[in-house]
Amino acid sequence: MGIGMALPFMAVSVSTAWVERLPRPGAWMVTFRQFMAFPMYATVIWLVWVLGQQVGLDGVAGFLICLLSLSLLLWTLPQTGKVGWLLRSMAALVFGWSVWQWGPSWTRIDTVAAQDIALTTTSSANGRDALRQAVWHEWSEDKVATARASGKPVFVDFTAAWCVTCQINKKSTLSNSDVLTDLAAHQVTLMRADWTRRDPAITAALTALGRSGVPVYVLYAPGKAPLVLSELLSVNKMKEALATLPATQP
């Protein structure tokens, strides 16, 4: 990131001719500054969604209430005179009350036990819609060991709510009807390891695989070493990996 931010300055330092290509200051800078607020708004939406994955809908509502009261407080800061002082005092009280009342809802980890996730997609086959369903189980080392001991193949998705690549792969490749069909045909046990809050057990599993971050996709085939797939998971790569599994008995 540092190199990327420094490149424009390095280019101008190497050849001063680049200075002539730079846009001249003007009113466009105000418009550009205002426009750049919208990517920031989009970032807030994404971060609120990540928060919602961890604390639930009530936690998100509490966070937005605190954010609204903070905005009110910031709005009152430039106000002058007795009216400004009164507004700032009221806004500070509202902000303090909202943090006291709603803060715990978006700072507390949701302790509700994770449940198996049913993922369904619809695909077209011979002119008719066929429903494919896959069940993702909560990951644990014991579950993986038990499934492997019974001779079942296991596919583990190491993911996190804040990981954009994880979400793209989840909505595309891991929701693809052909991939789900192959997973079902090989009777693969699906597990999802959520690293959103940096779980120590998941961290240890990633380290054992030679990885330090997510996404990581691992296929455990019976009698074989774990196969770590590419972070940019494609349908073809997934199908190729599944093709290495032994045929299952009908």
Side-chain angles (χ1 to χ4, degrees):
M1 291 179 62
I3 293 175
M5 295 176 66
L7 279 178
F9 300 96
M10 294 174 61
V12 172
S13 300
V14 171
S15 176
T16 55
W18 284 101
V19 176
E20 300 298 327
R21 297 179 178 272
L22 296 177
R24 294 291 181 264
W28 67 270
M29 298 176 66
V30 177
T31 303
F32 180 75
R33 183 188 64 186
Q34 295 172 348
F35 172 78
M36 291 305 295
F38 291 94
M40 298 297 294
Y41 296 151
T43 302
V44 171
I45 293 174
W46 173 58
L47 292 176
V48 169
W49 178 84
V50 172
L51 179 66
Q53 302 300 306
Q54 304 171 66
V55 300
L57 187 59
D58 290 342
V60 168
F63 173 76
L64 292 177
I65 291 173
C66 294
L67 190 62
L68 176 63
S69 63
L70 176 61
S71 301
L72 176 64
L73 177 60
L74 294 176
W75 174 76
T76 62
L77 293 181
Q79 307 300 321
T80 59
K82 292 183 178 180
V83 174
W85 181 87
L86 180 62
L87 288 174
R88 284 193 296 274
S89 300
M90 293 178 59
L93 289 174
V94 170
F95 177 66
W97 177 83
S98 63
V99 171
W100 175 77
Q101 180 70 25
W102 298 99
S105 67
W106 56 270
T107 57
R108 180 176 58 246
I109 300 176
D110 190 357
T111 57
V112 178
Q115 299 177 348
D116 293 344
I117 306 169
L119 172 65
T120 61
T121 62
T122 303
S123 61
S124 178
N126 298 325
R128 295 177 299 176
D129 289 336
L131 186 64
R132 310 292 184 187
Q133 185 179 64
V135 178
W136 290 86
H137 303 275
E138 183 184 6
W139 173 92
S140 75
E141 284 283 12
D142 292 340
K143 290 181 180 179
V144 173
T146 300
R148 297 187 68 186
S150 64
K152 295 181 179 178
V154 181
F155 179 78
V156 180
D157 171 16
F158 290 91
T159 184
W162 40 260
C163 171
V164 177
T165 305
C166 302
Q167 305 309 318
I168 293 175
N169 290 337
K170 187 183 300 182
K171 297 296 183 182
S172 56
T173 301
L174 296 180
S175 296
N176 182 272
S177 58
D178 292 335
V179 171
L180 294 177
T181 299
D182 284 357
L183 289 168
H186 289 90
Q187 300 179 10
V188 179
T189 299
L190 304 177
M191 295 188 187
R192 185 157 281 155
D194 190 348
W195 202 47
T196 301
R197 287 188 175 268
R198 304 298 179 100
D199 182 272
I202 297 177
T203 302
L206 290 171
T207 302
L209 293 168
R211 297 293 187 271
S212 59
V214 292
V216 174
Y217 305 100
V218 186
L219 180 63
Y220 296 91
K224 296 182 179 180
L227 174 61
V228 180
L229 281 67
S230 171
E231 291 87 349
L232 299 176
L233 195 63
S234 66
V235 172
N236 289 336
K237 291 295 184 181
M238 190 70 183
K239 291 175 69 67
E240 289 175 3
L242 294 174
T244 64
L245 295 176
T248 57
Q249 296 297 326

